[in-house]
Amino acid sequence: MSMLEIKNISKHYGKKKALNNFTFTFTEGVYGLLGPNGAGKTTLMNLITGNLNADKNVGEILWNGEKTSLLGERFRRELGFMPQQQNLYDNISAFDFLGYVSALKNLNRKKSLEDIRSLLKKVELDDCADKKIGGFSGGMKQRLLIASALLGSPKLLIMDEPTAGLDPKQRVIIKRLVSELSKDMIIIISTHIISDIENIAKEILLLKNGEIIDSGTIEELINKHPGNDKSLENLYMHYY
């Protein structure tokens, strides 16, 4: 079983505290990161993926007991990252885009061709494989980004606001896909849309000002607080 351990990680931008003494252990399943803008969600994801460095001489991030900073390429092979921004190339096809990403990941070309076809089917884009990305809807682009993050069969998937700006139908498609994927990997999702992680999240982490203010299963969190409206949305309003 895969395990991601984050121990006492902090990140400051000058005097601004983005993440403060963050400690948590993730195992296989879906984890939801909830919190307002500036809570530290994106900073945490960028620290895990190595796009940012934590404050020096404080804390560590471990993948299956080894420091990710020392694992280097071995950790990156186990990692899939779906950023919020849709940085795609409008003039190439979905198939060619995934081929380009697999080359950047230095994946075996023959196996990648097989994986690309399989992933396009998994994200329901197999009938659009040869169409240019510029003609895709926002939901189609998000699903293509999920497919690119899944190249190489990662064991850790990081998703930053995967359904931002999508209509309810597209959100349902992505939510169903995430639920299916979670059986074999750790999935960490940052979102403002509570319904995206309701019913699929193993645990919820509530962040505020760079710190975890509460965590647990949805049922555990809801039962901590009195009131007749026993919902995750009401709980969110209680904290923020």
Side-chain angles (χ1 to χ4, degrees), residues 107-209:
L107 301 175
N108 178 275
R109 178 173 170 76
K110 183 178 180 180
K111 186 172 189 313
S112 290
L113 292 175
E114 298 172 2
D115 289 345
I116 288 170
R117 297 187 189 284
S118 175
L119 286 170
L120 285 169
K121 186 174 183 179
K122 186 183 289 288
V123 299
E124 301 181 29
L125 289 175
D126 48 317
D127 58 338
C128 305
D130 297 321
K131 293 182 179 179
K132 290 186 177 180
I133 299 171
F136 284 14
S137 68
M140 293 167 72
K141 289 179 179 180
Q142 291 294 80
R143 282 183 276 144
L144 183 60
L145 283 173
I146 293 175
S148 70
L150 292 173
L151 284 165
S153 303
K155 293 297 182 183
L156 172 61
L157 180 60
I158 309 289
M159 309 176 79
D160 193 1
E161 301 284 352
T163 63
L166 303 187
D167 62 42
K169 182 179 179 181
Q170 294 285 356
R171 292 207 306 268
V172 168
I173 292 173
I174 290 177
K175 183 176 177 179
R176 184 175 65 240
L177 176 61
V178 169
S179 181
E180 292 171 357
L181 293 169
S182 66
K183 299 166 188 172
D184 302 313
M185 64 176 71
I186 299 170
I187 302 179
I188 303 173
I189 301 175
S190 166
T191 183
H192 289 92
I193 305 169
I194 293 170
S195 61
D196 282 354
I197 53 175
E198 209 163 11
N199 303 321
I200 66 169
K202 176 179 177 177
E203 289 192 55
I204 303 291
L205 284 71
L206 296 163
L207 275 66
K208 189 174 184 178
N209 297 325

Side-chain angles (χ1 to χ4, degrees), residues 7-196:
K7 298 182 178 181
N8 306 312
I9 288 292
S10 295
K11 178 65 179 178
H12 287 75
Y13 299 100
K15 294 183 178 180
K16 178 177 172 56
K17 175 182 66 178
L19 208 65
N20 185 45
N21 200 36
F22 186 98
T23 297
F24 198 83
T25 297
F26 300 88
T27 54
E28 289 172 1
V30 177
Y31 293 82
L33 300 181
L34 287 180
N37 289 334
K41 304 185 301 296
T42 298
T43 295
L44 174 63
M45 292 184 156
N46 281 315
L47 289 171
I48 293 171
T49 58
N51 292 325
L52 282 177
N53 294 319
D55 292 349
K56 291 183 178 180
N57 305 317
V58 179
E60 59 187 0
I61 300 176
L62 305 175
W63 176 247
N64 295 329
E66 298 184 73
K67 290 184 179 182
T68 57
S69 58
L70 299 179
L71 286 172
E73 181 66 27
R74 284 189 292 153
F75 175 62
R76 288 191 290 275
R77 287 197 201 104
E78 299 276 88
L79 173 68
F81 181 42
M82 178 186 172
Q84 183 177 354
Q85 295 81 11
Q86 293 185 351
N87 295 321
L88 299 172
Y89 301 97
D90 288 349
N91 292 322
I92 67 172
S93 70
F95 190 92
D96 288 343
F97 172 72
L98 293 181
Y100 170 70
V101 174
S102 67
L104 290 178
K105 290 186 174 184
N106 200 27
L107 301 175
N108 178 275
R109 178 173 170 76
K110 183 178 180 180
K111 186 172 189 313
S112 290
L113 292 175
E114 298 172 2
D115 289 345
I116 288 170
R117 297 187 189 284
S118 175
L119 286 170
L120 285 169
K121 186 174 183 179
K122 186 183 289 288
V123 299
E124 301 181 29
L125 289 175
D126 48 317
D127 58 338
C128 305
D130 297 321
K131 293 182 179 179
K132 290 186 177 180
I133 299 171
F136 284 14
S137 68
M140 293 167 72
K141 289 179 179 180
Q142 291 294 80
R143 282 183 276 144
L144 183 60
L145 283 173
I146 293 175
S148 70
L150 292 173
L151 284 165
S153 303
K155 293 297 182 183
L156 172 61
L157 180 60
I158 309 289
M159 309 176 79
D160 193 1
E161 301 284 352
T163 63
L166 303 187
D167 62 42
K169 182 179 179 181
Q170 294 285 356
R171 292 207 306 268
V172 168
I173 292 173
I174 290 177
K175 183 176 177 179
R176 184 175 65 240
L177 176 61
V178 169
S179 181
E180 292 171 357
L181 293 169
S182 66
K183 299 166 188 172
D184 302 313
M185 64 176 71
I186 299 170
I187 302 179
I188 303 173
I189 301 175
S190 166
T191 183
H192 289 92
I193 305 169
I194 293 170
S195 61
D196 282 354

